[in-house]
Amino acid sequence: MIDSGQYYDELPLFEKDWRDYTNSPFVKAHMNGSSALTSMYFALDLDRAAKSWCFLYVFSTCLAMRFFGYVPVFVTSTP
């Protein structure tokens, strides 16, 4: 899609094909994880000041949350 230069024309077709293939009610393609997380928070429509766990070593996961006023709760994992 990117090489053809017709990205915005082909993207809806790709999303439709993927929706049909996976039998999913909703499909939205994203170019990066931050964009996908932002879209997810739009879809969830949580209450302001909602809390969510974020791994401390992946700080970028909380940036989309702060856009909506949600509160990140930083956690770590040990092997």
Side-chain angles (χ1 to χ4, degrees):
M1 288 190 299
I2 294 172
D3 290 339
S4 72
Q6 302 296 319
Y7 180 76
Y8 291 107
D9 296 332
E10 294 181 21
L11 187 58
L13 300 174
F14 170 75
E15 290 172 341
K16 182 191 178 308
D17 288 346
W18 191 253
R19 187 173 47 248
D20 294 344
Y21 178 75
T22 60
N23 198 25
S24 299
F26 304 102
V27 170
K28 182 68 179 154
H30 292 278
M31 294 299 283
N32 59 53
S34 296
S35 172
L37 287 172
T38 301
S39 182
M40 177 193 70
Y41 288 123
F42 269 117
L44 289 175
D45 194 28
L46 301 171
D47 292 332
R48 298 290 280 174
K51 296 180 180 178
S52 182
W53 291 2
C54 294
F55 285 110
L56 188 57
Y57 59 86
V58 187
F59 183 74
S60 61
T61 58
C62 76
L63 296 179
M65 293 178 60
R66 298 304 300 147
F67 178 73
F68 293 93
Y70 303 151
V71 179
V73 177
F74 294 106
V75 296
T76 59
S77 63
T78 56

mmCIF file of all heavy atoms in Angstrom, residues 3-38:
data_model
loop_
_atom_site.group_PDB
_atom_site.id
_atom_site.type_symbol
_atom_site.label_atom_id
_atom_site.label_comp_id
_atom_site.label_asym_id
_atom_site.label_seq_id
_atom_site.Cartn_x
_atom_site.Cartn_y
_atom_site.Cartn_z
ATOM 1 N N ASP A 3 4.016 1.621 -1.054
ATOM 2 C CA ASP A 3 4.762 1.775 -2.303
ATOM 3 C C ASP A 3 3.899 2.286 -3.445
ATOM 4 O O ASP A 3 4.379 2.988 -4.326
ATOM 5 C CB ASP A 3 5.411 0.453 -2.712
ATOM 6 C CG ASP A 3 6.550 0.066 -1.784
ATOM 7 O OD1 ASP A 3 7.085 0.961 -1.095
ATOM 8 O OD2 ASP A 3 6.888 -1.132 -1.739
ATOM 9 N N SER A 4 2.625 1.960 -3.436
ATOM 10 C CA SER A 4 1.751 2.362 -4.539
ATOM 11 C C SER A 4 1.394 3.841 -4.481
ATOM 12 O O SER A 4 0.972 4.409 -5.484
ATOM 13 C CB SER A 4 0.464 1.535 -4.534
ATOM 14 O OG SER A 4 -0.366 1.918 -3.454
ATOM 15 N N GLY A 5 1.519 4.457 -3.311
ATOM 16 C CA GLY A 5 1.136 5.854 -3.179
ATOM 17 C C GLY A 5 -0.374 6.043 -3.057
ATOM 18 O O GLY A 5 -0.864 7.161 -3.001
ATOM 19 N N GLN A 6 -1.099 4.957 -3.024
ATOM 20 C CA GLN A 6 -2.558 5.009 -2.927
ATOM 21 C C GLN A 6 -3.018 4.557 -1.539
ATOM 22 O O GLN A 6 -4.068 3.929 -1.396
ATOM 23 C CB GLN A 6 -3.188 4.116 -4.010
ATOM 24 C CG GLN A 6 -2.801 4.476 -5.418
ATOM 25 C CD GLN A 6 -3.294 5.861 -5.791
ATOM 26 O OE1 GLN A 6 -4.410 6.238 -5.463
ATOM 27 N NE2 GLN A 6 -2.445 6.630 -6.446
ATOM 28 N N TYR A 7 -2.251 4.906 -0.540
ATOM 29 C CA TYR A 7 -2.492 4.421 0.812
ATOM 30 C C TYR A 7 -3.919 4.695 1.276
ATOM 31 O O TYR A 7 -4.614 3.802 1.761
ATOM 32 C CB TYR A 7 -1.481 5.053 1.774
ATOM 33 C CG TYR A 7 -1.648 4.618 3.200
ATOM 34 C CD1 TYR A 7 -1.218 3.369 3.613
ATOM 35 C CD2 TYR A 7 -2.255 5.450 4.130
ATOM 36 C CE1 TYR A 7 -1.362 2.949 4.913
ATOM 37 C CE2 TYR A 7 -2.416 5.040 5.440
ATOM 38 C CZ TYR A 7 -1.966 3.794 5.820
ATOM 39 O OH TYR A 7 -2.126 3.384 7.114
ATOM 40 N N TYR A 8 -4.378 5.928 1.124
ATOM 41 C CA TYR A 8 -5.694 6.294 1.645
ATOM 42 C C TYR A 8 -6.830 5.688 0.834
ATOM 43 O O TYR A 8 -7.946 5.561 1.333
ATOM 44 C CB TYR A 8 -5.829 7.809 1.739
ATOM 45 C CG TYR A 8 -4.931 8.376 2.814
ATOM 46 C CD1 TYR A 8 -3.781 9.088 2.482
ATOM 47 C CD2 TYR A 8 -5.211 8.171 4.156
ATOM 48 C CE1 TYR A 8 -2.944 9.585 3.468
ATOM 49 C CE2 TYR A 8 -4.384 8.661 5.148
ATOM 50 C CZ TYR A 8 -3.259 9.373 4.799
ATOM 51 O OH TYR A 8 -2.432 9.851 5.770
ATOM 52 N N ASP A 9 -6.565 5.300 -0.396
ATOM 53 C CA ASP A 9 -7.579 4.605 -1.191
ATOM 54 C C ASP A 9 -7.634 3.125 -0.840
ATOM 55 O O ASP A 9 -8.713 2.524 -0.838
ATOM 56 C CB ASP A 9 -7.290 4.758 -2.690
ATOM 57 C CG ASP A 9 -7.393 6.206 -3.151
ATOM 58 O OD1 ASP A 9 -8.164 6.970 -2.536
ATOM 59 O OD2 ASP A 9 -6.692 6.557 -4.106
ATOM 60 N N GLU A 10 -6.483 2.538 -0.563
ATOM 61 C CA GLU A 10 -6.411 1.104 -0.313
ATOM 62 C C GLU A 10 -6.662 0.715 1.141
ATOM 63 O O GLU A 10 -7.063 -0.416 1.409
ATOM 64 C CB GLU A 10 -5.040 0.572 -0.740
ATOM 65 C CG GLU A 10 -4.813 0.673 -2.233
ATOM 66 C CD GLU A 10 -3.469 0.122 -2.655
ATOM 67 O OE1 GLU A 10 -2.894 -0.679 -1.895
ATOM 68 O OE2 GLU A 10 -2.991 0.501 -3.733
ATOM 69 N N LEU A 11 -6.460 1.623 2.060
ATOM 70 C CA LEU A 11 -6.613 1.306 3.474
ATOM 71 C C LEU A 11 -8.021 0.816 3.833
ATOM 72 O O LEU A 11 -8.157 -0.204 4.513
ATOM 73 C CB LEU A 11 -6.219 2.488 4.343
ATOM 74 C CG LEU A 11 -6.180 2.229 5.842
ATOM 75 C CD1 LEU A 11 -5.218 1.105 6.182
ATOM 76 C CD2 LEU A 11 -5.787 3.485 6.577
ATOM 77 N N PRO A 12 -9.081 1.479 3.408
ATOM 78 C CA PRO A 12 -10.422 0.962 3.722
ATOM 79 C C PRO A 12 -10.666 -0.433 3.142
ATOM 80 O O PRO A 12 -11.362 -1.243 3.767
ATOM 81 C CB PRO A 12 -11.370 1.987 3.095
ATOM 82 C CG PRO A 12 -10.567 3.231 2.978
ATOM 83 C CD PRO A 12 -9.155 2.775 2.733
ATOM 84 N N LEU A 13 -10.101 -0.722 2.003
ATOM 85 C CA LEU A 13 -10.247 -2.060 1.420
ATOM 86 C C LEU A 13 -9.521 -3.099 2.268
ATOM 87 O O LEU A 13 -10.038 -4.201 2.490
ATOM 88 C CB LEU A 13 -9.709 -2.076 -0.012
ATOM 89 C CG LEU A 13 -10.393 -1.123 -0.996
ATOM 90 C CD1 LEU A 13 -9.663 -1.128 -2.329
ATOM 91 C CD2 LEU A 13 -11.848 -1.503 -1.161
ATOM 92 N N PHE A 14 -8.329 -2.752 2.733
ATOM 93 C CA PHE A 14 -7.582 -3.649 3.603
ATOM 94 C C PHE A 14 -8.347 -3.910 4.901
ATOM 95 O O PHE A 14 -8.462 -5.056 5.346
ATOM 96 C CB PHE A 14 -6.200 -3.053 3.917
ATOM 97 C CG PHE A 14 -5.459 -3.796 4.981
ATOM 98 C CD1 PHE A 14 -4.869 -5.023 4.711
ATOM 99 C CD2 PHE A 14 -5.364 -3.285 6.266
ATOM 100 C CE1 PHE A 14 -4.190 -5.724 5.699
ATOM 101 C CE2 PHE A 14 -4.689 -3.978 7.258
ATOM 102 C CZ PHE A 14 -4.101 -5.195 6.968
ATOM 103 N N GLU A 15 -8.896 -2.847 5.507
ATOM 104 C CA GLU A 15 -9.642 -3.008 6.753
ATOM 105 C C GLU A 15 -10.881 -3.882 6.544
ATOM 106 O O GLU A 15 -11.203 -4.727 7.387
ATOM 107 C CB GLU A 15 -10.040 -1.642 7.310
ATOM 108 C CG GLU A 15 -8.865 -0.846 7.820
ATOM 109 C CD GLU A 15 -9.204 0.571 8.194
ATOM 110 O OE1 GLU A 15 -10.243 1.088 7.743
ATOM 111 O OE2 GLU A 15 -8.424 1.178 8.940
ATOM 112 N N LYS A 16 -11.564 -3.704 5.422
ATOM 113 C CA LYS A 16 -12.738 -4.525 5.126
ATOM 114 C C LYS A 16 -12.346 -5.986 4.939
ATOM 115 O O LYS A 16 -12.997 -6.890 5.479
ATOM 116 C CB LYS A 16 -13.465 -4.028 3.888
ATOM 117 C CG LYS A 16 -14.718 -4.828 3.565
ATOM 118 C CD LYS A 16 -15.275 -4.493 2.202
ATOM 119 C CE LYS A 16 -16.489 -5.333 1.868
ATOM 120 N NZ LYS A 16 -16.310 -6.767 2.025
ATOM 121 N N ASP A 17 -11.283 -6.227 4.172
ATOM 122 C CA ASP A 17 -10.814 -7.598 3.975
ATOM 123 C C ASP A 17 -10.428 -8.254 5.302
ATOM 124 O O ASP A 17 -10.740 -9.418 5.546
ATOM 125 C CB ASP A 17 -9.623 -7.648 3.015
ATOM 126 C CG ASP A 17 -10.017 -7.374 1.572
ATOM 127 O OD1 ASP A 17 -11.229 -7.403 1.271
ATOM 128 O OD2 ASP A 17 -9.098 -7.130 0.764
ATOM 129 N N TRP A 18 -9.751 -7.514 6.164
ATOM 130 C CA TRP A 18 -9.330 -8.066 7.449
ATOM 131 C C TRP A 18 -10.543 -8.319 8.351
ATOM 132 O O TRP A 18 -10.608 -9.314 9.062
ATOM 133 C CB TRP A 18 -8.329 -7.131 8.125
ATOM 134 C CG TRP A 18 -7.668 -7.776 9.301
ATOM 135 C CD1 TRP A 18 -7.893 -7.496 10.622
ATOM 136 C CD2 TRP A 18 -6.702 -8.819 9.283
ATOM 137 N NE1 TRP A 18 -7.121 -8.295 11.415
ATOM 138 C CE2 TRP A 18 -6.377 -9.126 10.615
ATOM 139 C CE3 TRP A 18 -6.069 -9.524 8.265
ATOM 140 C CZ2 TRP A 18 -5.457 -10.105 10.950
ATOM 141 C CZ3 TRP A 18 -5.154 -10.497 8.607
ATOM 142 C CH2 TRP A 18 -4.861 -10.773 9.939
ATOM 143 N N ARG A 19 -11.515 -7.398 8.315
ATOM 144 C CA ARG A 19 -12.743 -7.576 9.091
ATOM 145 C C ARG A 19 -13.474 -8.851 8.653
ATOM 146 O O ARG A 19 -13.931 -9.635 9.473
ATOM 147 C CB ARG A 19 -13.634 -6.346 8.936
ATOM 148 C CG ARG A 19 -14.858 -6.333 9.808
ATOM 149 C CD ARG A 19 -15.639 -5.011 9.755
ATOM 150 N NE ARG A 19 -15.857 -4.539 8.403
ATOM 151 C CZ ARG A 19 -15.307 -3.456 7.880
ATOM 152 N NH1 ARG A 19 -14.480 -2.715 8.595
ATOM 153 N NH2 ARG A 19 -15.584 -3.081 6.646
ATOM 154 N N ASP A 20 -13.556 -9.058 7.337
ATOM 155 C CA ASP A 20 -14.207 -10.257 6.808
ATOM 156 C C ASP A 20 -13.421 -11.517 7.159
ATOM 157 O O ASP A 20 -14.005 -12.538 7.538
ATOM 158 C CB ASP A 20 -14.365 -10.152 5.290
ATOM 159 C CG ASP A 20 -15.327 -9.053 4.867
ATOM 160 O OD1 ASP A 20 -16.104 -8.570 5.727
ATOM 161 O OD2 ASP A 20 -15.288 -8.669 3.687
ATOM 162 N N TYR A 21 -12.114 -11.455 7.047
ATOM 163 C CA TYR A 21 -11.253 -12.609 7.311
ATOM 164 C C TYR A 21 -11.328 -13.045 8.777
ATOM 165 O O TYR A 21 -11.361 -14.229 9.089
ATOM 166 C CB TYR A 21 -9.812 -12.286 6.916
ATOM 167 C CG TYR A 21 -8.828 -13.393 7.189
ATOM 168 C CD1 TYR A 21 -8.783 -14.526 6.383
ATOM 169 C CD2 TYR A 21 -7.940 -13.308 8.254
ATOM 170 C CE1 TYR A 21 -7.881 -15.552 6.635
ATOM 171 C CE2 TYR A 21 -7.043 -14.317 8.511
ATOM 172 C CZ TYR A 21 -7.019 -15.437 7.700
ATOM 173 O OH TYR A 21 -6.125 -16.444 7.959
ATOM 174 N N THR A 22 -11.336 -12.047 9.692
ATOM 175 C CA THR A 22 -11.336 -12.360 11.118
ATOM 176 C C THR A 22 -12.743 -12.410 11.712
ATOM 177 O O THR A 22 -12.902 -12.716 12.893
ATOM 178 C CB THR A 22 -10.513 -11.326 11.909
ATOM 179 O OG1 THR A 22 -11.093 -10.027 11.714
ATOM 180 C CG2 THR A 22 -9.059 -11.345 11.482
ATOM 181 N N ASN A 23 -13.737 -12.080 10.899
ATOM 182 C CA ASN A 23 -15.125 -12.050 11.354
ATOM 183 C C ASN A 23 -15.274 -11.131 12.569
ATOM 184 O O ASN A 23 -15.943 -11.461 13.548
ATOM 185 C CB ASN A 23 -15.631 -13.458 11.667
ATOM 186 C CG ASN A 23 -17.136 -13.523 11.724
ATOM 187 O OD1 ASN A 23 -17.813 -12.709 11.109
ATOM 188 N ND2 ASN A 23 -17.663 -14.480 12.449
ATOM 189 N N SER A 24 -14.612 -9.972 12.505
ATOM 190 C CA SER A 24 -14.635 -8.993 13.587
ATOM 191 C C SER A 24 -15.606 -7.872 13.250
ATOM 192 O O SER A 24 -15.711 -7.472 12.086
ATOM 193 C CB SER A 24 -13.247 -8.383 13.786
ATOM 194 O OG SER A 24 -12.325 -9.373 14.131
ATOM 195 N N PRO A 25 -16.302 -7.340 14.243
ATOM 196 C CA PRO A 25 -17.238 -6.251 13.951
ATOM 197 C C PRO A 25 -16.532 -4.935 13.616
ATOM 198 O O PRO A 25 -17.062 -4.126 12.864
ATOM 199 C CB PRO A 25 -18.064 -6.127 15.224
ATOM 200 C CG PRO A 25 -17.227 -6.725 16.301
ATOM 201 C CD PRO A 25 -16.362 -7.759 15.639
ATOM 202 N N PHE A 26 -15.344 -4.721 14.175
ATOM 203 C CA PHE A 26 -14.621 -3.470 13.949
ATOM 204 C C PHE A 26 -13.155 -3.762 13.663
ATOM 205 O O PHE A 26 -12.549 -4.585 14.337
ATOM 206 C CB PHE A 26 -14.706 -2.553 15.167
ATOM 207 C CG PHE A 26 -16.110 -2.244 15.590
ATOM 208 C CD1 PHE A 26 -16.675 -2.888 16.672
ATOM 209 C CD2 PHE A 26 -16.863 -1.323 14.892
ATOM 210 C CE1 PHE A 26 -17.973 -2.629 17.061
ATOM 211 C CE2 PHE A 26 -18.160 -1.045 15.265
ATOM 212 C CZ PHE A 26 -18.719 -1.695 16.346
ATOM 213 N N VAL A 27 -12.591 -3.061 12.702
ATOM 214 C CA VAL A 27 -11.171 -3.165 12.388
ATOM 215 C C VAL A 27 -10.670 -1.779 12.050
ATOM 216 O O VAL A 27 -11.303 -1.043 11.291
ATOM 217 C CB VAL A 27 -10.919 -4.114 11.189
ATOM 218 C CG1 VAL A 27 -9.486 -4.023 10.732
ATOM 219 C CG2 VAL A 27 -11.283 -5.537 11.557
ATOM 220 N N LYS A 28 -9.531 -1.400 12.624
ATOM 221 C CA LYS A 28 -8.910 -0.116 12.337
ATOM 222 C C LYS A 28 -7.413 -0.324 12.231
ATOM 223 O O LYS A 28 -6.778 -0.793 13.168
ATOM 224 C CB LYS A 28 -9.233 0.890 13.451
ATOM 225 C CG LYS A 28 -8.676 2.251 13.241
ATOM 226 C CD LYS A 28 -9.348 2.933 12.084
ATOM 227 C CE LYS A 28 -8.783 4.331 11.897
ATOM 228 N NZ LYS A 28 -8.929 4.769 10.532
ATOM 229 N N ALA A 29 -6.850 -0.010 11.088
ATOM 230 C CA ALA A 29 -5.408 -0.155 10.877
ATOM 231 C C ALA A 29 -4.680 1.064 11.451
ATOM 232 O O ALA A 29 -5.171 2.189 11.369
ATOM 233 C CB ALA A 29 -5.106 -0.291 9.392
ATOM 234 N N HIS A 30 -3.501 0.819 12.022
ATOM 235 C CA HIS A 30 -2.685 1.887 12.597
ATOM 236 C C HIS A 30 -1.244 1.717 12.153
ATOM 237 O O HIS A 30 -0.794 0.612 11.867
ATOM 238 C CB HIS A 30 -2.751 1.853 14.124
ATOM 239 C CG HIS A 30 -4.089 2.208 14.658
ATOM 240 N ND1 HIS A 30 -4.503 3.495 14.818
ATOM 241 C CD2 HIS A 30 -5.127 1.429 15.032
ATOM 242 C CE1 HIS A 30 -5.737 3.509 15.291
ATOM 243 N NE2 HIS A 30 -6.134 2.257 15.420
ATOM 244 N N MET A 31 -0.529 2.824 12.133
ATOM 245 C CA MET A 31 0.867 2.803 11.707
ATOM 246 C C MET A 31 1.834 2.591 12.862
ATOM 247 O O MET A 31 2.996 2.319 12.650
ATOM 248 C CB MET A 31 1.230 4.112 10.992
ATOM 249 C CG MET A 31 0.504 4.294 9.687
ATOM 250 S SD MET A 31 0.863 3.005 8.511
ATOM 251 C CE MET A 31 2.470 3.493 7.945
ATOM 252 N N ASN A 32 1.361 2.767 14.106
ATOM 253 C CA ASN A 32 2.237 2.561 15.259
ATOM 254 C C ASN A 32 1.400 2.260 16.499
ATOM 255 O O ASN A 32 0.179 2.428 16.508
ATOM 256 C CB ASN A 32 3.160 3.765 15.484
ATOM 257 C CG ASN A 32 2.386 5.042 15.711
ATOM 258 O OD1 ASN A 32 1.509 5.100 16.565
ATOM 259 N ND2 ASN A 32 2.703 6.072 14.947
ATOM 260 N N GLY A 33 2.056 1.841 17.540
ATOM 261 C CA GLY A 33 1.369 1.464 18.766
ATOM 262 C C GLY A 33 0.718 2.626 19.489
ATOM 263 O O GLY A 33 -0.354 2.480 20.070
ATOM 264 N N SER A 34 1.341 3.794 19.459
ATOM 265 C CA SER A 34 0.762 4.957 20.127
ATOM 266 C C SER A 34 -0.569 5.338 19.493
ATOM 267 O O SER A 34 -1.538 5.674 20.183
ATOM 268 C CB SER A 34 1.722 6.143 20.074
ATOM 269 O OG SER A 34 2.897 5.854 20.791
ATOM 270 N N SER A 35 -0.625 5.280 18.184
ATOM 271 C CA SER A 35 -1.869 5.563 17.472
ATOM 272 C C SER A 35 -2.942 4.539 17.826
ATOM 273 O O SER A 35 -4.112 4.881 18.036
ATOM 274 C CB SER A 35 -1.608 5.560 15.957
ATOM 275 O OG SER A 35 -2.811 5.653 15.247
ATOM 276 N N ALA A 36 -2.556 3.281 17.908
ATOM 277 C CA ALA A 36 -3.509 2.224 18.260
ATOM 278 C C ALA A 36 -4.032 2.410 19.681
ATOM 279 O O ALA A 36 -5.235 2.250 19.932
ATOM 280 C CB ALA A 36 -2.845 0.856 18.110
ATOM 281 N N LEU A 37 -3.154 2.765 20.619
ATOM 282 C CA LEU A 37 -3.592 2.988 21.995
ATOM 283 C C LEU A 37 -4.532 4.180 22.091
ATOM 284 O O LEU A 37 -5.546 4.131 22.799
ATOM 285 C CB LEU A 37 -2.381 3.204 22.909
ATOM 286 C CG LEU A 37 -1.552 1.969 23.212
ATOM 287 C CD1 LEU A 37 -0.278 2.356 23.948
ATOM 288 C CD2 LEU A 37 -2.354 0.964 24.008
ATOM 289 N N THR A 38 -4.237 5.247 21.376
ATOM 290 C CA THR A 38 -5.114 6.421 21.384
ATOM 291 C C THR A 38 -6.491 6.059 20.847
ATOM 292 O O THR A 38 -7.515 6.433 21.421
ATOM 293 C CB THR A 38 -4.497 7.557 20.557
ATOM 294 O OG1 THR A 38 -3.224 7.903 21.114
ATOM 295 C CG2 THR A 38 -5.388 8.784 20.553
#
